[in-house]
Short mmCIF file of all heavy atoms in Angstrom, two decimals:
data_model
loop_
_atom_site.label_atom_id
_atom_site.label_comp_id
_atom_site.label_asym_id
_atom_site.label_seq_id
_atom_site.Cartn_x
_atom_site.Cartn_y
_atom_site.Cartn_z
N PRO K 113 20.55 161.15 159.11
CA PRO K 113 20.89 160.40 160.32
C PRO K 113 19.64 159.94 161.08
O PRO K 113 18.64 160.66 161.14
CB PRO K 113 21.69 161.38 161.17
CG PRO K 113 22.11 162.45 160.24
CD PRO K 113 21.09 162.51 159.16
N THR K 114 19.71 158.75 161.61
CA THR K 114 18.63 158.23 162.44
C THR K 114 18.50 159.12 163.67
O THR K 114 19.48 159.40 164.34
CB THR K 114 18.93 156.77 162.83
OG1 THR K 114 19.11 156.01 161.63
CG2 THR K 114 17.80 156.17 163.65
N LEU K 115 17.29 159.56 163.94
CA LEU K 115 17.05 160.47 165.06
C LEU K 115 17.38 159.81 166.40
O LEU K 115 17.26 158.59 166.55
CB LEU K 115 15.61 160.95 165.05
CG LEU K 115 15.19 161.74 163.81
CD1 LEU K 115 13.70 162.06 163.86
CD2 LEU K 115 16.01 163.01 163.65
N SER K 116 17.75 160.61 167.39
CA SER K 116 18.19 160.08 168.69
C SER K 116 17.12 159.22 169.36
O SER K 116 17.42 158.17 169.91
CB SER K 116 18.65 161.19 169.61
OG SER K 116 17.62 162.10 169.85
N LYS K 117 15.87 159.64 169.32
CA LYS K 117 14.80 158.85 169.95
C LYS K 117 14.67 157.49 169.27
O LYS K 117 14.49 156.47 169.93
CB LYS K 117 13.47 159.61 169.85
CG LYS K 117 12.31 158.87 170.46
CD LYS K 117 11.02 159.66 170.33
CE LYS K 117 9.86 158.85 170.89
NZ LYS K 117 8.59 159.55 170.80
N THR K 118 14.82 157.47 167.95
CA THR K 118 14.74 156.23 167.20
C THR K 118 15.95 155.34 167.51
O THR K 118 15.80 154.14 167.75
CB THR K 118 14.67 156.52 165.68
OG1 THR K 118 13.60 157.43 165.43
CG2 THR K 118 14.45 155.25 164.90
N ARG K 119 17.15 155.94 167.53
CA ARG K 119 18.36 155.16 167.86
C ARG K 119 18.24 154.53 169.24
O ARG K 119 18.55 153.36 169.43
CB ARG K 119 19.60 156.06 167.81
CG ARG K 119 19.97 156.52 166.43
CD ARG K 119 21.37 157.13 166.37
NE ARG K 119 21.71 158.03 167.44
CZ ARG K 119 21.53 159.35 167.43
NH1 ARG K 119 20.95 159.94 166.40
NH2 ARG K 119 21.91 160.09 168.46
N GLN K 120 17.79 155.33 170.19
CA GLN K 120 17.64 154.82 171.55
C GLN K 120 16.63 153.67 171.59
O GLN K 120 16.88 152.65 172.23
CB GLN K 120 17.23 155.94 172.49
CG GLN K 120 17.32 155.56 173.94
CD GLN K 120 17.20 156.79 174.84
OE1 GLN K 120 16.49 157.75 174.52
NE2 GLN K 120 17.88 156.76 175.96
N GLY K 121 15.53 153.83 170.88
CA GLY K 121 14.52 152.77 170.82
C GLY K 121 15.05 151.51 170.17
O GLY K 121 14.80 150.39 170.65
N ILE K 122 15.81 151.66 169.09
CA ILE K 122 16.39 150.50 168.40
C ILE K 122 17.30 149.73 169.35
O ILE K 122 17.20 148.52 169.49
CB ILE K 122 17.17 150.95 167.14
CG1 ILE K 122 16.20 151.42 166.06
CG2 ILE K 122 18.07 149.82 166.63
CD1 ILE K 122 16.87 152.11 164.88
N PHE K 123 18.21 150.43 170.00
CA PHE K 123 19.17 149.73 170.86
C PHE K 123 18.53 149.20 172.14
O PHE K 123 18.93 148.14 172.63
CB PHE K 123 20.41 150.59 171.12
CG PHE K 123 21.34 150.56 169.94
CD1 PHE K 123 21.31 151.57 168.99
CD2 PHE K 123 22.20 149.50 169.75
CE1 PHE K 123 22.13 151.52 167.88
CE2 PHE K 123 23.04 149.44 168.65
CZ PHE K 123 23.00 150.46 167.71
N ASN K 124 17.53 149.89 172.68
CA ASN K 124 16.81 149.34 173.84
C ASN K 124 16.15 148.01 173.46
O ASN K 124 16.23 147.04 174.21
CB ASN K 124 15.78 150.33 174.37
CG ASN K 124 16.40 151.49 175.11
OD1 ASN K 124 17.57 151.47 175.46
ND2 ASN K 124 15.62 152.54 175.32
N ALA K 125 15.50 147.98 172.30
CA ALA K 125 14.86 146.74 171.85
C ALA K 125 15.90 145.67 171.53
O ALA K 125 15.77 144.51 171.94
CB ALA K 125 13.99 147.02 170.62
N LEU K 126 16.95 146.07 170.83
CA LEU K 126 17.99 145.12 170.42
C LEU K 126 18.66 144.46 171.62
O LEU K 126 18.89 143.25 171.63
CB LEU K 126 19.03 145.86 169.57
CG LEU K 126 20.16 145.02 168.98
CD1 LEU K 126 19.61 143.90 168.11
CD2 LEU K 126 21.09 145.92 168.18
N LEU K 127 18.93 145.23 172.66
CA LEU K 127 19.62 144.68 173.82
C LEU K 127 18.74 143.73 174.64
O LEU K 127 19.25 143.02 175.50
CB LEU K 127 20.20 145.80 174.68
CG LEU K 127 21.32 146.60 173.99
CD1 LEU K 127 21.78 147.74 174.87
CD2 LEU K 127 22.47 145.70 173.59
N THR K 128 17.45 143.69 174.37
CA THR K 128 16.60 142.67 174.99
C THR K 128 16.66 141.37 174.20
O THR K 128 16.26 140.33 174.68
CB THR K 128 15.11 143.12 175.09
OG1 THR K 128 14.56 143.22 173.78
CG2 THR K 128 14.98 144.42 175.85
N MET K 129 17.19 141.44 172.97
CA MET K 129 17.25 140.27 172.09
C MET K 129 18.64 139.65 171.98
O MET K 129 18.76 138.49 171.63
CB MET K 129 16.79 140.67 170.68
CG MET K 129 15.37 141.14 170.58
SD MET K 129 14.98 141.51 168.85
CE MET K 129 14.46 143.20 168.99
N ILE K 130 19.67 140.45 172.23
CA ILE K 130 21.03 139.97 171.99
C ILE K 130 22.01 140.65 172.94
O ILE K 130 21.88 141.83 173.24
CB ILE K 130 21.42 140.23 170.51
CG1 ILE K 130 22.69 139.49 170.11
CG2 ILE K 130 21.54 141.70 170.21
CD1 ILE K 130 22.92 139.46 168.62
N GLU K 131 22.97 139.90 173.40
CA GLU K 131 24.05 140.42 174.26
C GLU K 131 25.17 140.90 173.33
O GLU K 131 25.67 140.13 172.50
CB GLU K 131 24.55 139.30 175.18
CG GLU K 131 25.89 139.55 175.84
CD GLU K 131 25.90 140.76 176.75
OE1 GLU K 131 24.92 140.98 177.49
OE2 GLU K 131 26.91 141.49 176.73
N PRO K 132 25.60 142.17 173.40
CA PRO K 132 26.55 142.71 172.44
C PRO K 132 27.99 142.22 172.56
O PRO K 132 28.74 142.30 171.59
CB PRO K 132 26.48 144.22 172.69
CG PRO K 132 25.97 144.37 174.07
CD PRO K 132 25.09 143.18 174.32
N LYS K 133 28.37 141.69 173.71
CA LYS K 133 29.76 141.27 173.91
C LYS K 133 30.15 140.22 172.86
O LYS K 133 29.47 139.23 172.67
CB LYS K 133 29.93 140.70 175.32
CG LYS K 133 31.38 140.37 175.67
CD LYS K 133 31.47 139.91 177.11
CE LYS K 133 32.81 139.54 177.61
NZ LYS K 133 33.89 139.29 176.76
N ASP K 134 31.24 140.49 172.15
CA ASP K 134 31.77 139.61 171.11
C ASP K 134 30.83 139.44 169.92
O ASP K 134 30.92 138.44 169.20
CB ASP K 134 32.14 138.24 171.68
CG ASP K 134 33.19 138.32 172.78
OD1 ASP K 134 34.11 139.15 172.65
OD2 ASP K 134 33.07 137.58 173.77
N LYS K 135 29.94 140.40 169.73
CA LYS K 135 29.00 140.32 168.60
C LYS K 135 29.36 141.38 167.56
O LYS K 135 29.89 142.44 167.87
CB LYS K 135 27.55 140.54 169.06
CG LYS K 135 27.05 139.52 170.08
CD LYS K 135 26.92 138.15 169.48
CE LYS K 135 26.17 137.14 170.32
NZ LYS K 135 26.66 136.84 171.62
N VAL K 136 29.03 141.08 166.30
CA VAL K 136 29.38 141.93 165.17
C VAL K 136 28.12 142.62 164.63
O VAL K 136 27.10 141.98 164.38
CB VAL K 136 30.05 141.10 164.05
CG1 VAL K 136 30.34 141.96 162.83
CG2 VAL K 136 31.34 140.46 164.57
N PHE K 137 28.22 143.93 164.43
CA PHE K 137 27.15 144.79 163.95
C PHE K 137 27.57 145.35 162.60
O PHE K 137 28.59 146.03 162.50
CB PHE K 137 26.93 145.92 164.96
CG PHE K 137 25.80 146.86 164.66
CD1 PHE K 137 24.59 146.73 165.33
CD2 PHE K 137 25.95 147.90 163.75
CE1 PHE K 137 23.54 147.62 165.09
CE2 PHE K 137 24.91 148.79 163.51
CZ PHE K 137 23.70 148.64 164.17
N PHE K 138 26.83 145.03 161.53
CA PHE K 138 27.08 145.61 160.21
C PHE K 138 26.14 146.80 160.04
O PHE K 138 24.94 146.67 160.21
CB PHE K 138 26.78 144.62 159.09
CG PHE K 138 27.79 143.51 158.89
CD1 PHE K 138 27.55 142.56 157.92
CD2 PHE K 138 28.95 143.42 159.62
CE1 PHE K 138 28.45 141.52 157.70
CE2 PHE K 138 29.86 142.40 159.43
CZ PHE K 138 29.62 141.44 158.44
N ASP K 139 26.71 147.94 159.68
CA ASP K 139 25.93 149.16 159.41
C ASP K 139 26.00 149.40 157.90
O ASP K 139 26.94 150.01 157.40
CB ASP K 139 26.54 150.32 160.20
CG ASP K 139 25.78 151.62 160.07
OD1 ASP K 139 24.71 151.64 159.43
OD2 ASP K 139 26.26 152.63 160.61
N LEU K 140 24.99 148.88 157.17
CA LEU K 140 24.96 149.04 155.72
C LEU K 140 24.45 150.43 155.37
O LEU K 140 23.51 150.92 156.00
CB LEU K 140 24.06 147.99 155.09
CG LEU K 140 24.31 146.52 155.45
CD1 LEU K 140 23.48 145.61 154.55
CD2 LEU K 140 25.78 146.15 155.39
N PHE K 141 25.06 151.05 154.38
CA PHE K 141 24.67 152.39 153.94
C PHE K 141 24.81 153.36 155.13
O PHE K 141 23.87 154.04 155.52
CB PHE K 141 23.23 152.38 153.37
CG PHE K 141 22.98 151.20 152.46
CD1 PHE K 141 22.31 150.09 152.91
CD2 PHE K 141 23.46 151.21 151.16
CE1 PHE K 141 22.10 148.99 152.09
CE2 PHE K 141 23.26 150.12 150.32
CZ PHE K 141 22.58 149.00 150.79
N ALA K 142 25.99 153.39 155.71
CA ALA K 142 26.25 154.00 157.01
C ALA K 142 25.93 155.49 157.12
O ALA K 142 25.64 155.97 158.21
CB ALA K 142 27.70 153.75 157.43
N GLY K 143 26.02 156.24 156.03
CA GLY K 143 25.68 157.66 156.10
C GLY K 143 26.55 158.40 157.12
O GLY K 143 27.76 158.49 156.97
N SER K 144 25.95 158.89 158.18
CA SER K 144 26.68 159.65 159.19
C SER K 144 27.59 158.77 160.06
O SER K 144 28.48 159.27 160.73
CB SER K 144 25.70 160.39 160.10
OG SER K 144 24.99 159.46 160.91
N GLY K 145 27.33 157.47 160.07
CA GLY K 145 28.10 156.56 160.93
C GLY K 145 27.58 156.50 162.36
O GLY K 145 28.12 155.76 163.19
N ILE K 146 26.51 157.23 162.66
CA ILE K 146 26.03 157.30 164.05
C ILE K 146 25.55 155.94 164.56
O ILE K 146 25.73 155.64 165.74
CB ILE K 146 24.95 158.40 164.21
CG1 ILE K 146 24.68 158.68 165.69
CG2 ILE K 146 23.66 158.04 163.48
CD1 ILE K 146 25.81 159.30 166.45
N MET K 147 24.98 155.10 163.70
CA MET K 147 24.52 153.79 164.17
C MET K 147 25.71 152.91 164.56
O MET K 147 25.63 152.17 165.53
CB MET K 147 23.63 153.11 163.13
CG MET K 147 22.28 153.78 162.95
SD MET K 147 21.29 153.90 164.46
CE MET K 147 20.79 152.20 164.68
N SER K 148 26.78 153.01 163.82
CA SER K 148 28.00 152.26 164.18
C SER K 148 28.54 152.74 165.52
O SER K 148 28.94 151.93 166.37
CB SER K 148 29.07 152.42 163.11
OG SER K 148 28.68 151.80 161.91
N LEU K 149 28.56 154.04 165.72
CA LEU K 149 29.04 154.59 166.99
C LEU K 149 28.15 154.17 168.15
O LEU K 149 28.64 153.84 169.23
CB LEU K 149 29.15 156.11 166.90
CG LEU K 149 30.30 156.63 166.03
CD1 LEU K 149 30.14 158.11 165.76
CD2 LEU K 149 31.64 156.31 166.66
N GLU K 150 26.84 154.17 167.94
CA GLU K 150 25.91 153.71 168.97
C GLU K 150 26.18 152.24 169.30
O GLU K 150 26.17 151.84 170.46
CB GLU K 150 24.45 153.88 168.52
CG GLU K 150 23.99 155.31 168.37
CD GLU K 150 23.54 155.96 169.67
OE1 GLU K 150 23.67 155.37 170.76
OE2 GLU K 150 23.04 157.10 169.59
N ALA K 151 26.43 151.44 168.27
CA ALA K 151 26.71 150.01 168.47
C ALA K 151 28.00 149.81 169.26
O ALA K 151 28.04 149.03 170.22
CB ALA K 151 26.78 149.29 167.12
#
């Protein structure tokens, strides 16, 4: 699983680039599914 500090960093950066409302997030090779849940 992607570590919490990394997940937080990814989404902090991502949310400066894209507004999530009505947007689709593909989690390839989902593993634990935590990235989908974060999204």
Side-chain angles (χ1 to χ4, degrees):
T114 303
L115 298 175
S116 60
K117 180 180 177 180
T118 307
R119 291 193 316 269
Q120 191 167 33
I122 289 169
F123 281 97
N124 286 346
L126 183 58
L127 294 176
T128 67
M129 297 182 236
I130 193 167
E131 164 61 42
K133 186 176 180 344
D134 301 321
K135 299 293 192 301
V136 177
F137 184 101
F138 285 178
D139 184 4
L140 308 190
F141 317 100
S144 69
I146 193 66
M147 290 302 288
S148 293
L149 288 168
E150 293 277 6

